[in-house]
């Protein structure tokens, strides 16, 4: 059974004056351990789709299930990482990473150790007592990712997580995040408008149509390289970039 199963989902936003059809008849399944990228035109319904997977928004028709059970926001199965890292500037990195666990009454010796060990493992051990402003954009994203992973979500959703990171360091940050996700054996769904980013990171790329979003094409990216940076250096990279780019724009 697939970890995530979306079947014939529609989402229609109802407002007083109008209806917006954001997602139409979308069917998609994601296996455990897969890294999926969703790409599609701006405004097509990508964030809406992630909100539905997170259980924050119910589909108007159709179903969304994780491990065969319909999603609900409170299940703790889904971790959500946004464009802005949302770290609290007045709290230390350690306190930021543990805060969510504490608020949700899930902070105990084991969860604390798990989170702090990840800070050590992924190069932030020396920055536990530092404040977010003392960290680079890339380190902040790493801290935000560890904060999300501290809950041990089955599925990780990333909505354009690198668009606020400056261009010079974005590729290294992609490498860091990809390596943490693979090391922790997480299943991930990444939304991005950056096709090179999608090709460098994903096992599968799902191209969505303009609104209402539905699946246009799915590509299995068969570039044999261990990291996003190495993928970018691979001769197959430009082939896939070109194919995905054409599918998004034509
Ligand atoms: N809460 C909402 N109420 C009404 N319409 C919305 C709401 N959120 C998003 N939309 C509309 O749904 C469409 C898809 O939005 P969104 O999922 O944010 O697109 P994307 O993330 O692909 O840019 C857009 O036309 C947007 O204006
Ligand atoms: Mg969006």
């Amino acid at each position: 059974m697939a970890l995530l199963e979306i079947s014939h989902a529609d989402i229609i936003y109802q407002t007083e004056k109008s209806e917006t059809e954001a997602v139409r008849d979308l069917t998609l399944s994601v296996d455990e351990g897969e890294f999926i990228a969703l790409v599609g035109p701006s405004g097509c319904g990508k964030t809406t789709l992630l909100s539905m997977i997170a259980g924050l928004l119910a589909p108007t028709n159709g179903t969304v299930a994780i491990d065969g059970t319909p999603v609900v926001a409170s299940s703790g199965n889904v971790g959500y990482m946004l464009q802005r890292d949302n770290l609290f500037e007045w709290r230390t990195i350690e306190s930021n990473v543990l805060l969510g666990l504490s608020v949700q009454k899930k902070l105990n010796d084991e969860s604390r150790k798990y989170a702090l060990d990840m800070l050590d493992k992924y190069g932030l051990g020396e920055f536990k007592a530092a404040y977010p402003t003392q960290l680079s954009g890339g380190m902040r994203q790493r801290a935000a990712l560890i904060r999300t992973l501290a809950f041990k979500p089955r599925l990780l959703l990333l909505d354009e997580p690198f668009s606020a990171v400056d261009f010079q360091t974005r590729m290294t940050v992609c490498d860091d995040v990809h390596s943490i996700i693979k090391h922790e054996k997480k299943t991930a769904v990444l939304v991005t408008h950056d096709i090179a980013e999608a090709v460098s990171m994903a096992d599968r790329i799902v191209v969505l149509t303009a609104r209402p979003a539905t699946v246009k094409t799915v590509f299995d990216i068969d570039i044999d390289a261990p990291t996003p940076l190495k993928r970018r250096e691979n001769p197959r990279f430009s082939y896939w970039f070109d194919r995905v780019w054409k599918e998004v724009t034509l």
Side-chain angles (χ1 to χ4, degrees), residues 201-222:
M201 295 182 84
D203 303 316
R204 255 192 319 148
I205 296 181
V206 178
V207 178
L208 301 170
T209 60
R211 192 175 66 79
T214 194
V215 175
K216 188 177 186 189
T217 318
V218 179
F219 294 110
D220 283 303
I221 308 299
D222 59 350

Side-chain angles (χ1 to χ4, degrees), residues 5 17 85 130 206:
E5 200 90 55
K17 293 199 181 73
D85 58 43
V206 178

Side-chain angles (χ1 to χ4, degrees), residues 12 57 93 105-106 153 161 169 186 217 229:
I12 300 166
L57 191 64
I93 293 304
K105 310 226 179 319
K106 287 178 180 164
T169 51
K186 289 294 169 189
T217 318
L229 280 171

Side-chain angles (χ1 to χ4, degrees), residues 164-179:
V165 179
D166 64 90
F167 182 76
Q168 284 81 359
T169 51
R170 201 176 299 165
M171 284 193 233
T172 354
V173 178
C174 285
D175 248 38
D176 290 344
V177 167
H178 183 269
S179 126

Side-chain angles (χ1 to χ4, degrees), residues 37 39 190 192 194-203 205 221 231 244:
V39 299
L190 166 77
T192 178
D194 183 334
I195 292 167
E197 189 177 291
V199 174
S200 72
M201 295 182 84
D203 303 316
I205 296 181
I221 308 299
R231 271 196 178 190
V244 176

